Amino acid sequence: MTSIAPKVSVVIPNYNGISYLRDCLESVYRESVVPDRVIVVDNGSKDGSAEEAEQLFPEAEMLRMGENTGFCGAVNAGIRASEGMDYVILLNNDTIVDRNFTRELVRAMERKSSVFSCQAKMLSMKDPELMDDAGDLYCGLGWAFARGKGKPEKLYRRPAEIFSSCAGAAIYRKSILDEIGLFDENHFAYLEDCDIGWRARIQGYHNLFIPSARVLHVGSASSGSVYNLFKVINTSRNSIYVIAKNMPVPQILLNLPTLIPGFLVKAAFFAAKGYGREYVQGIAKGFLLAMKGRREGKIVRFYPENFGNYVRIQFELWINIVRRFLQG
C-alpha cells in the first residue's frame, strides 16, 4: 500500500526585490523535489521585479497586493491561497535554497505531528562558512535573537529545538495554522515569527532547527540596512506587543526584574546609534498596539490546561538569557 506524498507550497513575499527574486526562484525550481505550488506575493513593487518573475517563471503563481501590506499581510495572503496543502514554506526573496531544501523540511515535519514549524539552516550569502540564523530564541530580557549568528556553520550541524522559526526560511504545518491563527498583521513586520511560534508553544507544539535544509541569505533586503528608522520603530513597538499578547499578567510581573533592564539596555544601545528617540517612540506605540490587540481579541487567553506549557516556556526564557550572552 503506497502512501500519498504530502502537498507543500512555497510562499515568497516580494517588495522591490529585483536584485534577488530571480535567483531565489531559479533555486526553488532546481530543487530535487519541486514544491507543488510556488506562490509569489508582491507587495506593490515598483522596480519591475513582479513583471520579471511573471515573464521568466510562468509556472509560479503571482498574487499582487497593490500596496505594501508588510511581511504579515503578504505571507497570510499566500497561506490563504495554499488551499489543499499540508505544509506551507515561507521563503524570503533574498535567499538561494539548496537542492534538498524542501525535501529535508518536509521529511522533518513528517516525523512527528506535534511539530508546528521547522527552520532551515540559514547561512550568510557573503560567507557561507558563517551562520546567519540557526533558529530564533527569545529571552527574559525581552530580546529575540538569532541563534549562532556570525559563528562558524560547523558548530550547528545537529537538529535542535528552538523557541521559534525565522519565517525567512521555514515550513509550517497548515492544520496547526488553522488552529492557532495566521500571522498577526498588527505586527506588519518584525517579531511576527516569534509571536506565532510562541502561540504554538503555548498550545504544546514544537519548533525545530533542521540543519540538513540549507539556504543562503542576504539579510535586510527589504528594509535596506541593519539599523534604520523603519526597523527600529517597528521592532521596539512589536517587542512590547509580543509580550502583551503571549504573557498573562502574572508572568509579566514575574519577568519585570529582567524585562525592565533589558529594555533600558536596548534604549541606551539605540541612543548610541542615533535612534534613541525613535526607540522610545516605538515603545509607546507598542503599548497602544497592545490595547488595540486586546480590543480585537488577539491577546492569547490563558487556559489552566496550558499551565505546564507556560512553565516550560518560562524556564526557557531564563535559560536563554545566559544563551544570549554565550550566543548559543
Side-chain angles (χ1 to χ4, degrees):
M1 185 174 179
T2 57
S3 60
I4 300 173
K7 293 185 178 295
V8 58
S9 65
V10 170
V11 173
I12 304 173
N14 178 65
Y15 179 65
N16 292 335
I18 191 70
S19 300
Y20 310 105
L21 184 57
R22 177 178 180 174
D23 290 341
C24 177
L25 285 166
E26 283 181 346
S27 71
V28 169
Y29 282 110
R30 284 198 306 264
E31 287 192 74
S32 58
V33 175
V34 177
D36 297 276
R37 296 173 66 184
V38 177
I39 304 171
V40 177
V41 186
D42 187 70
N43 254 340
S45 297
K46 306 296 183 185
D47 64 347
S49 53
E51 290 76 13
E52 181 183 72
E54 284 183 313
Q55 181 181 359
L56 296 177
F57 304 94
E59 62 271 55
E61 302 170 48
M62 178 67 68
L63 295 182
R64 293 180 179 267
M65 303 301 286
E67 61 180 0
N68 189 354
T69 62
F71 179 85
C72 298
V75 298
N76 281 350
I79 293 169
R80 292 188 187 102
S82 299
E83 296 180 6
M85 298 293 107
D86 299 295
Y87 304 113
V88 178
I89 293 175
L90 302 185
L91 186 65
N92 279 4
N93 64 355
D94 60 340
T95 58
I96 295 177
V97 303
D98 182 78
R99 271 184 54 80
N100 296 320
F101 171 77
T102 294
R103 186 187 71 178
E104 291 301 311
L105 287 179
V106 171
R107 285 173 66 179
M109 294 292 282
E110 288 284 279
R111 292 189 188 110
K112 203 169 183 180
S113 61
S114 62
V115 174
F116 168 56
S117 72
C118 289
Q119 183 193 315
K121 185 176 191 176
M122 300 180 76
L123 304 166
S124 168
M125 187 78 77
K126 291 181 180 179
D127 186 353
E129 297 299 314
L130 297 179
M131 288 300 310
D132 182 67
D133 195 319
D136 287 353
L137 301 179
Y138 185 80
C139 72
L141 294 168
W143 303 351
F145 58 99
R147 177 172 169 261
K149 191 173 184 68
K151 285 195 167 187
E153 69 83 20
K154 63 184 179 181
L155 300 178
Y156 298 89
R157 293 182 177 175
R158 293 183 179 179
E161 186 140 357
I162 53 179
F163 190 87
S164 60
S165 294
C166 171
I171 188 170
Y172 295 85
R173 194 178 301 273
K174 186 73 161 45
S175 61
I176 299 178
L177 284 169
D178 293 338
E179 176 188 343
I180 69 172
L182 304 186
F183 288 82
D184 184 348
E185 295 183 23
N186 279 343
H187 281 94
F188 191 81
Y190 304 116
L191 294 179
E192 70 287 323
D193 41 12
C194 175
D195 169 59
I196 203 167
W198 196 338
R199 282 189 273 139
R201 295 285 306 279
I202 289 171
Q203 299 301 320
Y205 297 114
H206 303 275
N207 304 299
L208 303 178
F209 164 66
I210 305 299
S212 55
R214 296 162 60 95
V215 58
L216 300 176
H217 183 223
V218 174
S220 301
S222 295
S223 62
S225 61
V226 177
Y227 303 114
N228 56 66
L229 185 66
F230 173 81
K231 190 170 183 178
V232 170
I233 290 178
N234 279 275
T235 52
S236 59
R237 182 195 66 173
N238 293 344
S239 64
I240 294 293
Y241 185 47
V242 76
I243 291 169
K245 276 195 69 177
N246 294 289
M247 281 191 190
V249 172
Q251 190 178 19
I252 292 176
L253 295 175
L254 176 66
N255 284 281
L256 280 181
T258 53
L259 287 174
I260 291 173
F263 279 98
L264 289 175
V265 168
K266 282 282 189 178
F269 173 83
F270 284 111
K273 296 285 184 182
Y275 293 107
R277 185 176 178 180
E278 289 77 12
Y279 181 81
V280 174
Q281 288 175 348
I283 294 294
K285 290 182 178 182
F287 285 103
L288 294 175
L289 188 60
M291 290 188 285
K292 177 176 181 283
R294 186 169 295 278
R295 291 193 301 271
E296 295 172 343
K298 293 187 175 181
I299 305 301
V300 178
R301 292 185 62 182
F302 173 80
Y303 293 100
E305 57 265 33
N306 291 329
F307 179 74
N309 298 329
Y310 281 102
V311 171
R312 282 186 284 274
I313 291 169
Q314 182 57 52
F315 276 107
E316 191 171 336
L317 298 183
W318 286 329
I319 292 169
N320 285 345
I321 294 176
V322 178
R323 295 182 72 180
R324 170 62 182 84
F325 292 104
L326 295 178
Q327 276 296 319

